[in-house]
């Protein structure tokens, strides 16, 4: 078995002072309104502050580039990460081609846990609903508001087109933070796999107006082929489930990610709190 891989980094989030961003819980003022001490660093976005994405260099050190082409991940976000937290990323081998993943805040609080591996794992996402390949349509403007009263489970949602761009600099000139947009291997710029699965956050906010903050809680992703930065991605989803717990309301999407040629790049089960409990609701 290979040895443990461990890295440390300091979290950052330039947008924390901006209360006008789409998900207000990623601002200091918005997070404090829901009882958090500071802004919540996003779990997965295109690039920038991305907790799971910060793990990618350590994941590739442990699993190698093969994980980009056929790899799987099951990641849970256990505790919030705030700007300027000291994070320890740790991967330990747990079996053939499988590794455990932990991210610790200040060396003691578990913020993220997961299991990752090479290859295709058929039992990773139980009862996954693959979306049919259909042409992408324009995104709704505005999207419908999603509430516990009008949510519909077991329905197929439309296909929307997106991409994972590099920042406005050549990849070989990008700073370490800017390189979170992708993985540069042998001159090829692959999209960060955490960004590929994280496009489901974009998809959810494109499909619905959550009418308030949301918190991403779990990603289960089976990657079949890597995405390239800047290439068009067609994403569709099936609403697999929804439930309430501790005052929070959850929605679970089964997302299918394809490139413009129609090749399936990933299956992603994306779980998110779309209605965050207020302090009084959480206490009850």
């Amino acid at each position: 078995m290979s040895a443990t891989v461990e890295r440390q980094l300091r979290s950052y989030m330039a947008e924390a002072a901006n209360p006008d961003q789409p998900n207000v819980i990623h601002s200091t003022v918005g997070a404090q309104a829901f009882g958090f001490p500071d802004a919540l660093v996003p779990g997965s976005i295109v690039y920038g502050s991305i907790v799971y994405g910060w793990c990618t260099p350590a994941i590739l050190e442990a699993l190698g580039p093969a994980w980009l082409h056929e790899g799987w991940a099951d990641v849970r976000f256990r505790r919030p990460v705030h700007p300027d937290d000291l994070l320890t990323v740790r991967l330990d081998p747990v079996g053939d081609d499988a590794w455990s993943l932990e991210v610790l805040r200040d060396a003691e609080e578990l913020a993220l846990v997961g299991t990752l591996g090479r290859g295709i794992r058929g039992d990773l996402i139980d009862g996954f609903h693959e979306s049919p390949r259909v042409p992408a349509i324009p995104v709704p403007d505005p999207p419908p508001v999603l509430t516990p009263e009008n949510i519909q489970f077991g329905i197929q949602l439309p296909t929307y087109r997106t991409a994972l761009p590099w920042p406005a600099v050549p990849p070989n000139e990008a700073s370490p933070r800017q390189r979170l947009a992708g993985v540069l291997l042998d001159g090829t710029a692959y999209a960060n796999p955490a960004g590929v699965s994280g496009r489901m956050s974009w998809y959810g906010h494109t499909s619905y107006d959550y009418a308030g903050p949301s918190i991403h809680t779990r990603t289960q992703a089976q990657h079949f082929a890597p995405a390239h930065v800047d290439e068009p991605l067609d994403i569709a989803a099936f609403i697999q489930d929804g439930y309430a717990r501790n005052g929070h309301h959850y929605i679970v999407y089964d997302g299918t990610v394809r490139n413009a040629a129609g090749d399936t790049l990933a299956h992603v089960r994306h779980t998110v709190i779309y209605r965050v409990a207020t302090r009084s609701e959480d206490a009850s």
Side-chain angles (χ1 to χ4, degrees):
M1 256 187 206
S2 302
T4 294
V5 173
E6 186 170 296
R7 295 189 178 199
Q8 283 194 324
L9 59 100
R10 182 71 64 175
S11 67
Y12 56 88
M13 188 179 171
E15 306 85 0
N18 177 16
D20 297 323
Q21 55 187 293
N23 190 353
V24 70
I25 210 155
H26 298 315
S27 71
T28 300
V29 171
Q32 289 176 345
F34 283 82
F36 297 100
D38 203 344
L40 274 63
V41 175
S44 55
I45 55 175
V46 177
Y47 55 81
S49 302
I50 169 173
V51 177
Y52 177 32
W54 288 331
C55 301
T56 297
I59 293 171
L60 292 177
E61 181 180 341
L63 280 81
W67 183 69
L68 292 175
H69 295 267
E70 285 190 353
W72 55 269
D74 186 353
V75 176
R76 295 175 184 265
F77 300 91
R78 299 288 297 274
R79 297 287 187 277
V81 170
H82 304 293
D84 205 38
D85 284 343
L86 178 63
L87 303 181
T88 301
V89 178
R90 180 186 176 97
L91 288 107
D92 287 300
V94 294
D96 293 338
D97 289 331
W99 294 69
S100 67
L101 170 66
E102 292 183 344
V103 176
L104 296 171
R105 293 179 61 242
D106 300 322
E108 55 185 28
E109 185 175 80
L110 198 57
L112 180 152
V113 296
T115 309
L116 308 98
R118 289 184 288 256
I120 296 175
R121 181 177 161 183
D123 64 342
L124 177 68
I125 309 176
D126 183 48
F128 181 83
H129 293 83
E130 181 171 10
S131 296
R133 183 189 173 194
V134 297
I137 65 172
V139 302
D141 185 19
V145 175
L146 184 67
T147 69
E149 292 73 33
N150 69 9
I151 189 171
Q152 294 178 280
F153 304 123
I155 65 169
Q156 178 64 51
L157 299 176
T159 297
Y160 301 125
R161 178 159 287 189
T162 183
L164 285 158
W166 275 101
V169 294
N172 61 348
E173 297 177 11
S175 70
R177 293 184 179 184
Q178 290 170 323
R179 288 175 190 160
L180 286 172
V183 178
L184 193 63
L185 292 174
D186 299 325
T188 299
Y190 296 107
N192 190 323
V196 174
S197 58
R199 285 281 75 190
M200 290 307 302
S201 291
W202 168 86
Y203 184 90
H205 284 285
T206 298
S207 301
Y208 294 109
D209 177 356
Y210 294 158
S214 61
I215 301 176
H216 177 197
T217 63
R218 186 180 184 185
T219 286
Q220 297 158 270
Q222 175 65 67
H223 298 278
F224 299 102
H228 293 81
V229 294
D230 293 323
E231 77 168 324
L233 299 176
D234 287 345
I235 302 180
F238 182 90
I239 299 182
Q240 193 270 341
D241 198 5
Y243 52 91
R245 180 180 297 163
N246 297 329
H248 301 304
H249 289 265
Y250 293 75
I251 187 170
V252 182
Y253 299 98
D254 278 357
T256 302
V257 182
R258 294 184 172 94
N259 60 20
D263 302 318
T264 300
L265 303 182
H267 288 164
V268 183
R269 178 162 288 171
H270 178 81
T271 304
V272 61
I273 299 172
Y274 69 92
R275 183 180 183 277
V276 180
T278 62
R279 296 183 188 184
S280 59
E281 289 171 326
D282 188 50
S284 63

